Amino acid sequence: MKLATLKKKGHPDGHLVVVSTDASHCVDASAVAPSLIDALQRWDEVRPALEQLAQVVNNAADRERLGSLPFEPDQCAAPLPRAVQWLDGSAFLNHSHLMERAFNVPPVANLDTIPLMYQGASDDFLGPHDEVPLPDVADQIDFEGEFGVVLADTPMGVSAEEALDYVRLVVLLNDWSLRAFGPREAKSGFGFLQAKPSTAFAPIALTPDELGPDWREGRVHLKLHTWRDGHWFGHPHAGAMHFSFAELIAHAARTRRLKAGTILGSGTVSNADPKVGSACIAERRMVEAVASGSPSTPFLHFGERVRMEARGEQSDQSPFGVIEQTVVQYRRSQH
């Protein structure tokens, strides 16, 4: 089942729709649940009705009778325009090792056995085609391609063996970053704040079964393709996660409950093979520094455009849809 949220003026949580498997059409789901957060909080109650709508929208005759609409990703907000909680891990150890070197911080103890994770802002997520307003290019604007899971109510102390039972949806996201703030905030011990502006999401959130064999062992087995201003930047494979989503969930729930609608990210998708490229600029710069002594790829400037989508090995389909955004200078009168 594929779900999306259309923007709706005066409604910060948007308008829930069910999307066809080929992402060509959608049907209104507001009679079942007005928003995705409402659906997640009543999942067992509303899921059968949402699945019926999915059957309708995937049948041409039925969707015409029901009055389906063309699915227009540029009208979408993030699947959850705001969430009860946003937790981001760092499950790709290659990225963690490179970032240690990039920010000149000492190695983290037990990095390969205890996941890194921070709690980010969840009050203002960006839609897949929204502009990205930021204050200053001197802040070193960067993108970070990731996958994430959206959870049901998850009990404290859940084990990794049980954790995937609480995954309701899988998402694709761009965790925008301002690298100039990273070293100071990392060393503070209080976590990231200014280094992490609003995160952007692909238009479609999907139930794990939609991914078929590309969802296994608590990982998304797809390549994350990224382009910067139309130029290829990388296609690392997300199956290389050191920590699975099951392990990340168990870590997050070790000392507290996680409420329905919590989003948990994988951290930047990263592979050890430099030929597959990167899903963020900072990582490429570190690779360049190792190879030649200094980085050469600049951070983003205003007016640049970043595109991300996930694809399988043998398919050009993009199950989550596309994130494609332009970075612009923030002006208070315009936003």
Side-chain angles (χ1 to χ4, degrees):
M1 181 166 53
K2 293 187 172 184
L3 303 172
T5 295
L6 300 182
K7 296 176 181 179
K8 187 175 182 181
K9 189 175 182 179
H11 294 263
D13 295 312
H15 179 93
L16 181 63
V17 294
V18 179
V19 183
S20 61
T21 298
D22 65 0
S24 64
H25 290 77
C26 64
V27 294
D28 180 6
S30 61
V32 178
S35 64
L36 182 54
I37 187 61
D38 177 77
L40 288 162
Q41 291 169 343
R42 300 187 295 121
W43 189 256
D44 291 340
E45 175 187 344
V46 304
R47 178 168 184 164
L50 292 174
E51 289 176 337
Q52 287 183 345
L53 288 177
Q55 292 177 2
V56 167
V57 78
N58 282 305
N59 182 292
D62 286 344
R63 70 184 179 214
E64 183 176 347
R65 174 179 52 81
L66 194 64
S68 70
L69 298 171
F71 179 59
E72 299 179 353
D74 61 348
Q75 300 301 309
C76 287
L80 285 168
R82 54 184 181 169
V84 299
Q85 184 168 213
W86 159 231
L87 303 172
D88 199 15
S90 186
F92 294 85
L93 294 193
N94 182 65
H95 180 76
S96 298
H97 291 313
L98 287 170
M99 290 303 99
E100 286 174 0
R101 298 169 72 178
F103 293 138
N104 194 30
V105 296
V108 176
N110 303 310
L111 183 65
D112 60 343
T113 57
I114 302 175
L116 294 177
M117 190 174 293
Y118 74 94
Q119 185 175 43
S122 60
D123 59 321
D124 184 31
F125 292 139
L126 299 175
H129 297 283
D130 291 346
E131 290 183 335
V132 184
L134 294 169
D136 195 335
V137 294
D139 296 335
Q140 299 179 347
I141 302 167
D142 199 356
F143 49 85
E144 291 194 62
E146 308 184 18
F147 292 92
V149 293
V150 185
L151 303 178
D153 282 330
T154 304
M156 184 190 308
V158 68
S159 69
E161 290 73 25
E162 303 169 302
L164 295 183
D165 293 340
Y166 298 94
V167 173
R168 294 293 174 260
L169 300 167
V170 187
V171 292
L172 169 66
L173 60 108
N174 182 354
D175 184 36
W176 288 98
S177 295
L178 300 176
R179 298 297 186 188
F181 298 107
R184 177 182 61 81
E185 293 188 335
K187 292 176 182 178
S188 74
F190 265 54
F192 296 122
L193 179 66
Q194 293 175 337
K196 293 294 185 179
S198 296
T199 300
F201 287 77
I204 297 170
L206 45 82
T207 50
D209 60 284
E210 281 284 337
L211 289 172
D214 292 329
W215 172 257
R216 62 185 187 274
E217 300 168 344
R219 296 169 174 84
V220 177
H221 289 264
L222 296 172
K223 291 181 178 180
L224 177 52
H225 293 254
T226 303
W227 295 264
R228 175 181 181 174
D229 262 359
H231 300 286
W232 175 84
F233 203 86
H235 59 253
H237 197 286
M241 284 175 75
H242 177 76
F243 296 106
S244 70
F245 277 112
E247 293 168 296
L248 294 180
I249 295 166
H251 176 76
R254 175 66 179 83
T255 59
R256 57 175 166 162
R257 298 173 295 175
L258 307 177
K259 302 305 290 182
T262 293
I263 306 173
L264 197 159
S266 66
T268 307
V269 178
S270 178
N271 295 172
D273 182 359
K275 293 193 293 295
V276 305
S278 301
C280 75
I281 296 171
E283 184 172 300
R284 175 180 280 191
R285 286 170 59 87
M286 192 60 232
V287 171
E288 292 167 344
V290 170
S292 63
S294 63
S296 57
T297 299
F299 290 105
L300 291 167
H301 291 87
F302 295 136
E304 288 199 81
R305 197 165 185 82
V306 176
R307 177 186 174 97
M308 292 181 180
E309 62 180 306
R311 297 179 184 173
E313 293 284 355
Q314 306 298 327
S315 173
D316 60 358
Q317 291 186 340
S318 183
F320 301 91
V322 173
I323 305 172
E324 189 162 11
Q325 299 178 291
T326 300
V327 179
V328 300
Q329 184 164 25
Y330 170 76
R331 299 186 187 282
R332 187 170 180 178
S333 61
Q334 296 176 358
H335 299 276

